[in-house]
Amino acid sequence: MTEAPGEGHHAAHTWQEARQRAFDAATPIPPGPVSLAKALGRTLASDALAIQDMPHYASSAMDGWAVNGSGPWILSEPGQRLAPHQASPIVTGGLIPPGAKAVLRSESGIITTDDDGLPVLALGGAAKPGEPRNGQHIRKAAEEAAEGDVLLKAGTRLNPAHIALAALAGLDHVDVLGKPLVRFLLTGSEVVERGIPQPGQVRDTFGPQLGAVVELLGGIAGEQLRVGDSYEEWMAALQDTEPEPGGPDAETEPPADVVITTGGTGRSGTDHFRRAVAELGGRLLIDGIAMRPGHPAVLAELPDGRFVVGLPGNPLAAMMALFTVGAPLLAALGHARPADVGEVPCGTTIDADPGRTRLMPFRLVYGLASPAQHTGPGMMRGLAGADGVMIVPPHGVQLGELVPAFPLPWAKPLPAPKPPEDKPRKTQARPPRKAPAGPVDWSGLDA
């Protein structure tokens, strides 16, 4: 049965209420250690300190010879203590042996013989006057940092160079702010993952995009599980989305903080979301939103602490629901604030739709937000070419009026609306009036 405009929404949350409720439902995930391999993009919860000197030993900055005193030098075995006038071969990064005072680079020395025909190292080649000076070409211990120095401050968002620095400091883990792990429960027996779908089948649009969008929204994309449409499959999937203690996946992926489901949020005989949540002892936090597309969106919390975001089965409707409910939920769990809502000037008049907010993908055309084409609930073409989403209030929008909007997670920030220009009014000087010549005729003023 098709729902008439305005019907079925009297008990639903407004768009603003749903967004705020999703944010308020969660508390930030506590900080914890992660391995350096998983730390990229994470935010440090505490200072990262050097746990040893950097470098932790004196080393050679050149290929050549470690030497003690002036030459010529008698050659010694590598690694042995050098007496005055002794030298031993060394490579870049090699440990400076005891007794060594400098490194003679390979270009500045030659192997020759002394008067007795024994091999010795002498200056030659590209050697410069005074070479080698004491300490020359030696990287001193603690030259970059001493043990206990603060290398990275809390609040740093870790980039590849930060990761390398932490590794150089001897760290294997760093403490980072919590970030929600999201698993996906994709339903629909008619969905195919590859090839051309037959009549009655549809291609999977959720598998290729949901994980990437969740990452852009601040979550960690976990495993995807695809199930059929029966209630038994729903229940089994919701119960089994956690790895078993001691199981093969328990150490590779921790328990999920959020489960995102697709489909099953309507009220037909094949929609099992609410029944499954109730049987698991969960509670509904959001049960429908007065918006379109995406009004059947649902947010629930299970007794084990997991949040379940129920997205509609149509792809565009699901994305609008994800931006409305999923984005603020992930922000709250990940120590962030909800994304700001800006404003854009509307490029057309949009009629009222009493009782619900409309989310309209738009493109910026000459600075005006023009609603995108191909934005039916089951379409993706309009969203793929959009710059952002307009939040059209129930009373509609007039041409040129500022309308709330947010950028897509993968798009550029919205431009700030230009303030109205206060142009000075041009006044034209009136020519002075001339007094009439001759007598004045007052007859036209008769009462």
Side-chain angles (χ1 to χ4, degrees):
M1 177 177 177
T2 302
E3 188 178 88
E7 291 184 3
H9 298 287
H10 60 280
H13 296 282
T14 66
W15 185 84
Q16 291 84 356
E17 289 172 347
R19 190 168 183 261
Q20 188 63 47
R21 189 171 178 83
F23 180 78
D24 293 341
T27 56
I29 297 170
V34 298
S35 66
L36 295 187
K38 297 181 178 180
L40 184 64
R42 302 295 294 269
T43 301
L44 277 181
S46 58
D47 295 343
L49 309 180
I51 61 175
Q52 62 179 1
D53 291 341
M54 297 172 56
H56 59 284
Y57 62 91
S59 63
S60 174
M62 294 281 180
D63 289 344
W65 297 268
V67 299
N68 184 349
S70 59
W73 298 272
I74 300 171
L75 294 176
S76 173
E77 292 295 324
Q80 293 184 358
R81 173 177 288 275
L82 298 181
H85 309 296
Q86 280 190 327
S88 62
I90 197 167
V91 295
T92 301
L95 176 66
I96 298 295
K101 307 298 184 183
V103 170
L104 179 69
R105 55 185 181 143
S106 56
E107 300 95 320
S108 301
I110 56 173
I111 301 297
T112 183
T113 56
D114 62 10
D115 294 341
D116 297 325
L118 298 175
V120 293
L121 170 66
L123 292 176
K128 297 178 181 179
E131 188 175 1
R133 301 183 305 275
N134 272 354
Q136 189 172 15
H137 303 314
I138 291 179
R139 296 171 180 163
K140 297 178 181 179
E143 191 174 58
E144 186 172 4
E147 180 182 348
D149 282 356
V150 176
L151 301 178
L152 300 167
K153 291 187 176 181
T156 301
R157 184 178 172 87
L158 296 172
N159 62 32
H162 295 142
I163 304 296
L165 176 60
L168 196 60
L171 299 172
D172 296 319
H173 296 81
V174 286
D175 286 324
V176 296
L177 296 181
K179 198 172 185 180
L181 174 64
V182 182
R183 289 198 176 94
F184 305 91
L185 177 55
L186 311 180
T187 65
S189 55
E190 77 284 4
V191 176
V192 295
E193 297 182 0
R194 57 181 58 84
I196 299 175
Q198 300 299 314
Q201 296 179 329
V202 294
R203 272 294 295 264
D204 174 25
T205 59
F206 293 124
Q209 71 169 327
L210 278 182
V213 176
V214 160
E215 295 271 354
L216 291 172
L217 294 176
I220 302 172
E223 67 176 354
Q224 295 185 1
L225 178 65
R226 180 169 297 283
V227 299
D229 295 321
S230 71
Y231 178 70
E232 292 73 21
E233 289 175 289
W234 263 87
M235 280 295 295
L238 280 177
Q239 290 172 325
D240 291 344
T241 48
E242 298 303 319
E244 296 181 7
D249 298 327
E251 295 189 12
T252 59
E253 194 168 283
D257 302 294
V258 179
V259 177
I260 292 180
T261 70
T262 60
T265 61
R267 298 185 183 275
S268 70
T270 59
D271 294 327
H272 308 302
F273 184 99
R274 293 167 184 81
R275 180 184 170 191
V277 167
E279 187 163 330
L280 290 172
R283 63 190 183 108
L284 297 181
L285 304 176
I286 296 174
D287 189 4
I289 306 171
M291 72 179 204
R292 76 171 183 182
H295 73 86
V298 185
L299 173 63
E301 185 177 10
L302 298 180
D304 59 13
R306 284 179 295 160
F307 290 96
V308 186
V309 178
L311 303 180
N314 283 315
L316 182 61
M319 293 304 292
M320 297 301 105
L322 181 59
F323 296 151
T324 302
V325 176
L329 177 70
L330 295 176
L333 291 168
H335 301 256
R337 297 290 305 170
D340 292 332
V341 173
E343 289 182 322
V344 289
C346 190
T348 187
T349 296
I350 302 175
D351 294 334
D353 188 2
R356 58 185 171 189
T357 300
R358 281 161 292 172
L359 299 186
M360 292 187 174
F362 69 86
R363 297 189 66 184
L364 287 170
V365 181
Y366 300 112
L368 297 175
S370 177
Q373 298 180 349
H374 309 292
T375 54
M379 299 179 180
M380 286 302 295
R381 186 175 176 184
L383 186 66
D387 296 309
V389 177
M390 286 190 290
I391 309 161
V392 180
H395 56 74
V397 182
Q398 297 299 312
L399 172 64
E401 182 181 354
L402 290 177
V403 59
F406 58 86
L408 295 168
W410 53 85
K412 296 179 181 178
L414 299 179
K418 295 181 180 179
E421 297 181 4
D422 295 330
K423 295 182 179 179
R425 297 179 64 182
K426 294 182 180 180
T427 56
Q428 201 167 15
R430 295 182 179 180
R433 291 185 177 182
K434 294 181 180 180
V440 178
D441 182 7
W442 299 100
S443 61
L445 299 179
D446 292 342

